[in-house]
Amino acid sequence: MLKLDKPLEKCRILVTNDDGINAPGLKVLEKIAKALSKDVWVVAPEQNQSGSAHSLTLRSPLRLREVSKRRYAVDGTPTDCVLLAVNQLLQDHQPDLVLSGVNRGANMAEDVTYSGTIAAAMEGTLLGLPSIALSQAIAFKHAPKWSTAEQHGPDIIRKVLAVGWPKGVLINLNFPDTGGQGVKGIRLARQAQRQIGSAVQPGTDPYGNPYYWVGLIKSEEEAKTGTDLAAVRDGYIAITPIHMDMTHAATLKALQTVLD
């Protein structure tokens, strides 16, 4: 089981994200982390790395830039950030906990396969550290309601850490677009499945050259009861454990009867 071996207030916390070192959500997560411990270190990408998933920079060197005391920027992916923080910057006193986020936008359903926020927590998990990803659902009609995550994040993190979870598992938290006072409660939720189509928007640049802008068309109609989509839609904070082992046991067993 992944459980802290010391009181949370004495733990070293690594904070990262995929929206970049200057992202508002990162500042929110720093506040959350500092409400839990005074030993907080930030290592985040220089630029926005949304959609980078669990990618590593393999064909160019990485640079670690000190922004301010205990705050560093990496010219790479969220995965790079966690790897450098744990194995280089903090190798003599490794973090006890990895927090990733707070992402501008929810990371639910199939989002977890694209998300750099989730990927940073994945890397922490692979390195044997308790890791939690935090994301704030948003609506384009108004600014992100960061107060939701800021108000409820510390207490939820304390609660899930008190219980612990198996190795190879990370915790995915999604906060509804309600504001701190509007949250109806907490729901344990499974990862949803939804129909999703890639929206490829063609265009022409000022020089007459064609380009294509890839976006996503998402439908929330498949938000079935018990899923992360349904929980956040209904105003609840969704807690979803995500297992790193993606082996499908039933198919493996079926294939064994034929191939062994």
Side-chain angles (χ1 to χ4, degrees):
M1 290 287 289
L2 288 173
K3 295 192 75 172
L4 300 178
D5 58 3
K6 65 183 76 168
L8 181 54
E9 59 270 19
K10 294 184 179 181
C11 287
R12 171 164 287 186
I13 300 176
L14 171 62
V15 170
T16 189
N17 73 347
D18 74 350
D19 288 333
I21 189 68
N22 296 315
L26 184 66
K27 293 181 174 61
V28 173
L29 188 53
E30 287 183 66
K31 292 180 181 178
I32 292 172
K34 289 176 180 178
L36 303 172
S37 171
K38 293 183 179 180
D39 192 1
V40 175
W41 293 71
V42 177
V43 182
E46 285 275 13
Q47 306 295 331
N48 191 310
Q49 294 285 327
S50 295
S52 60
H54 197 198
S55 59
L56 280 168
T57 301
L58 299 177
R59 308 227 175 242
S60 60
L62 292 170
R63 287 169 170 63
L64 185 68
R65 179 175 68 90
E66 185 173 7
V67 178
S68 58
K69 185 177 181 181
R70 297 188 179 182
R71 297 186 86 250
Y72 292 81
V74 175
D75 59 343
T77 69
T79 304
D80 294 329
C81 291
V82 175
L83 196 61
L84 287 184
V86 175
N87 290 331
Q88 293 296 319
L89 180 65
L90 305 176
Q91 61 179 323
D92 294 332
H93 181 179
Q94 293 190 343
D96 303 289
L97 172 66
V98 176
L99 299 179
S100 179
V102 176
N103 191 66
R104 187 182 185 277
N107 277 307
M108 303 179 289
E110 81 295 326
D111 293 338
V112 302
T113 65
Y114 300 109
S115 168
T117 303
I118 301 293
M122 285 182 173
E123 191 63 20
T125 300
L126 290 174
L127 293 171
L129 303 172
S131 301
I132 302 173
L134 301 88
S135 302
Q136 177 62 57
I138 61 173
F140 292 110
K141 60 186 177 182
H142 57 69
K145 297 177 181 176
W146 298 116
S147 64
T148 316
E150 186 173 344
Q151 180 175 331
H152 296 276
D155 188 52
I156 292 176
I157 291 171
R158 289 188 187 98
K159 287 179 177 178
V160 296
L161 285 171
V163 175
W165 54 89
K167 292 182 179 180
V169 173
L170 66 92
I171 301 298
N172 187 25
L173 301 181
N174 280 281
F175 297 88
D177 181 39
T178 60
Q181 300 302 318
V183 172
K184 294 181 180 179
I186 300 171
R187 282 183 177 171
L188 299 174
R190 69 180 186 276
Q191 182 183 342
Q193 292 183 335
R194 61 184 167 189
Q195 296 296 322
I196 182 167
S198 294
V200 181
Q201 181 67 47
T204 304
D205 69 18
Y207 301 98
N209 300 311
Y211 68 81
Y212 302 91
W213 197 302
V214 178
L216 296 174
I217 299 175
K218 299 181 180 181
S219 171
E220 308 297 339
E221 295 176 358
E222 301 84 3
K224 297 179 181 179
T225 301
T227 65
D228 47 13
L229 290 177
V232 171
R233 177 200 63 193
D234 295 339
Y236 291 84
I237 298 168
I239 302 179
T240 306
I242 296 177
H243 196 190
M244 293 292 293
D245 182 358
M246 293 184 284
T247 306
H248 190 254
T251 301
L252 184 64
K253 186 175 181 180
L255 291 171
Q256 286 176 334
T257 63
V258 177
L259 300 176
D260 278 356

